[in-house]
Amino acid sequence: LGKDLTKDEDKKLSQMGIFFRMNDKIQRIKQLVVLGKDDTVGEVIDDTYKDLSVYGIIAQIVKNGKWGKKINLGPEINTMSWEAQPSISGDGNVLVFASGRPGGYGSKDLWMSTKVNGRWTKPQNLGSTINTGLDEEAPFLHYDGRTLYFSSSGHAGYGQHDIFMSRLGEDGKWETPVNLGKGVNTPGDDVGFYVDALGKKAYFASDRVGGFG
């Protein structure tokens, strides 16, 4: 999958962001989720355009401070539909992502895959407790592996996209999502909620009043 950038391309693009070449086109990485206890060893997952309309999810290993070869996660994860916004568990064995593939409840659903013997299994829809007839996206599976944050336009909330939290019960089923409330959610779009390992800080995107764009 893909080709390395030429020296000239690398020089031109190095100040503009993180890019790579796919299908003979220069592509820009949209999202990174870095694993590992430091910044030298970990797995990176990103959602990147395959063409003008279809997303795909690839993985990349960081070792000794250097980017390794980018690896497509394969046909079980990537389809001709939209796949993006991946989040991976702290142990690297559970992947949650958003997809517009057939078989869901809405136009965008959350799906989960587990890694078995080094390969990602066929994704399972997270079900009607999480997914609605509208959009669920931007998942973040916390490092505890049992707490899921995501944005939804289908669950009852305060705005267009609200941020919700659900926990994985002892029975292996996701509990009814809880809206994070007015302190986080607004009448607009609030998405991409990421919580640090200690559960003390969170970062997210919002179009609320007071921003720059």
Side-chain angles (χ1 to χ4, degrees):
L1 171 68
K3 301 178 181 178
D4 293 333
L5 296 177
T6 66
K7 290 184 178 180
D8 288 340
E9 290 170 338
D10 181 71
K11 183 177 180 180
K12 291 178 181 179
L13 298 175
S14 62
Q15 301 302 317
M16 298 172 60
I18 304 173
F19 294 78
F20 72 99
R21 181 192 292 273
M22 180 185 286
N23 297 335
D24 293 325
K25 295 181 180 180
I26 302 249
Q27 311 292 351
R28 180 168 184 158
I29 289 177
K30 295 293 182 180
Q31 178 183 5
L32 298 178
V33 179
V34 181
L35 300 182
K37 295 182 179 179
D38 53 49
D39 61 359
T40 59
V41 180
E43 187 171 9
V44 178
I45 293 191
D46 62 77
D47 58 334
T48 308
Y49 284 107
K50 291 178 186 175
D51 53 39
L52 293 179
S53 61
V54 181
Y55 282 83
I57 298 174
I58 66 170
Q60 187 175 14
I61 305 300
V62 181
K63 291 184 178 180
N64 299 321
K66 296 182 179 180
W67 295 96
K69 183 179 179 181
K70 300 155 188 73
I71 305 169
N72 190 294
L73 296 194
E76 293 287 12
I77 303 299
N78 295 313
T79 68
M80 291 305 294
S81 299
W82 178 83
E83 277 86 27
Q85 303 169 340
S87 178
I88 196 166
S89 62
D91 62 6
N93 291 322
V94 178
L95 173 68
V96 180
F97 62 98
S99 176
R101 67 183 62 199
Y105 295 87
S107 58
K108 296 177 183 177
D109 275 23
L110 299 186
W111 298 74
M112 183 176 70
S113 174
T114 56
K115 186 183 287 186
V116 178
N117 296 324
R119 300 181 67 86
W120 293 105
T121 60
K122 183 177 180 179
Q124 301 297 313
N125 189 287
L126 292 192
S128 59
T129 299
I130 300 295
N131 294 308
T132 69
L134 296 178
D135 293 340
E136 278 67 49
E137 53 187 314
F140 173 66
L141 184 61
H142 194 259
Y143 307 103
D144 64 8
R146 305 187 68 85
T147 307
L148 177 68
Y149 297 91
F150 64 97
S151 293
S152 173
S153 62
H155 291 285
Y158 299 94
Q160 299 179 49
H161 281 84
D162 275 25
I163 298 170
F164 292 82
M165 183 272 291
S166 176
R167 297 189 189 278
L168 188 65
E170 295 299 328
D171 59 358
K173 297 181 180 180
W174 291 101
E175 298 175 353
T176 300
V178 176
N179 189 295
L180 293 193
K182 288 184 178 180
V184 172
N185 293 309
T186 67
D189 288 319
D190 302 286
V191 298
F193 196 80
Y194 297 93
V195 182
D196 69 9
L198 297 177
K200 300 294 185 180
K201 294 182 180 180
Y203 307 85
F204 62 100
S206 175
D207 62 359
R208 68 188 61 202
V209 175
F212 294 95

